[in-house]
Amino acid sequence: MTRGASRSEKIEVLFDADKIAGRTRALANEIAAAGFTDLLVVPILKGSFVFGADLLRALHGAGVTLEVDFIFLSSYRDKTSSSGQVRILRDIETQVQARDVLLVDDILESGRTLAFAKDLIAARGARRVAACVLLDKPGGRAVDLEADFRGFECPDVFVIGYGMDLANRYRELPYVGRIV
Ligand code: IMP
Ligand code: MG
């Protein structure tokens, strides 16, 4: 299915809202079964604010109690590919010493963003650091890292929507798609 996003662009839907919602509930059940204690969930901004919000509520539905904080990371990138350097634009305020932390990201590609976040939280003394991503592009990996929980394998194309952007556009789309 394609939908008009502006006068000149059409978007092919890759993962629609129902499919994302169903998979998010299943992920929440997987996370609930993983036995986290004193759990702090940390969505990585900006991209994961939509997935993070839905995952948090699904976790509540799965019986998980948790706290939330946010980290805002930026990887220097040109339009659609990452250059490698990650920096913190806004750090979490919560102490992570001796507690379980679940990082949440929209998409895992090179792995640099998540590797940076995992190393940072682990270095601060977290007991357990896990990662949940909505989408995984396994072909794009530059570092050896896998997510503990992942929603879908994503084709090796630039995707937008459901929090993900192209130059800060399209984040509001309720589905994940690509511009065709
Ligand atoms: P990584 O550091 O290369 O693993 O990239 C992860 C980050 O790059 C994600 O959090 C996204 O913000 C961004 N990213 C990677 N691929 C895409 C894409 O296809 N669309 C939008 N953002 C992407
Ligand atoms: Mg991101």
Side-chain angles (χ1 to χ4, degrees):
M1 178 181 31
T2 58
R3 299 185 192 211
S6 72
R7 254 164 296 203
S8 59
E9 289 154 341
K10 288 244 179 288
I11 296 173
E12 177 192 1
V13 178
L14 298 175
F15 303 99
D16 69 26
D18 284 349
K19 198 168 173 184
I20 294 170
R23 188 70 192 108
T24 301
R25 280 193 296 274
L27 280 173
N29 289 328
E30 286 178 38
I31 293 164
F36 293 104
T37 51
D38 196 15
L39 180 64
L40 177 70
V41 179
V42 180
I44 300 174
L45 300 176
K46 297 178 191 169
S48 70
F49 75 108
V50 177
F51 176 49
D54 285 343
L55 183 66
L56 289 170
R57 287 174 288 180
L59 285 168
H60 172 75
V64 179
T65 52
L66 53 87
E67 291 176 19
V68 189
D69 200 346
F70 298 94
I71 192 164
F72 191 158
L73 297 181
S74 161
S75 43
Y76 290 99
R77 50 195 307 136
D78 54 34
K79 252 176 141 183
T80 59
S81 74
S82 163
S83 67
Q85 278 220 51
V86 181
R87 67 193 166 122
I88 303 173
L89 298 184
R90 187 266 184 198
D91 205 341
I92 54 171
E93 293 165 341
T94 313
Q95 296 287 333
V96 297
Q97 179 88 33
R99 65 187 303 186
D100 292 349
V101 177
L102 179 68
L103 296 163
V104 177
D105 209 357
D106 48 0
I107 179 160
L108 170 59
E109 189 171 18
S110 74
R112 290 190 191 100
T113 305
L114 258 189
F116 177 90
K118 279 188 110 168
D119 289 350
L120 182 77
I121 301 298
R124 291 176 182 169
R127 179 172 47 209
R128 184 173 169 192
V129 188
C132 176
V133 300
L134 176 68
L135 302 176
D136 183 8
K137 284 187 198 169
R141 218 65 100 239
V143 301
D144 183 19
L145 182 142
E146 296 306 327
D148 303 87
F149 308 94
R150 73 164 186 183
F152 302 102
E153 184 167 324
C154 182
D156 201 13
V157 297
F158 193 80
V159 295
I160 49 157
Y162 200 67
M164 289 172 282
D165 71 308
L166 177 60
N168 271 323
R169 294 180 62 206
Y170 306 109
R171 293 191 196 274
E172 72 278 22
L173 302 181
Y175 50 84
V176 175
R178 69 178 178 124
I179 299 167
V180 289

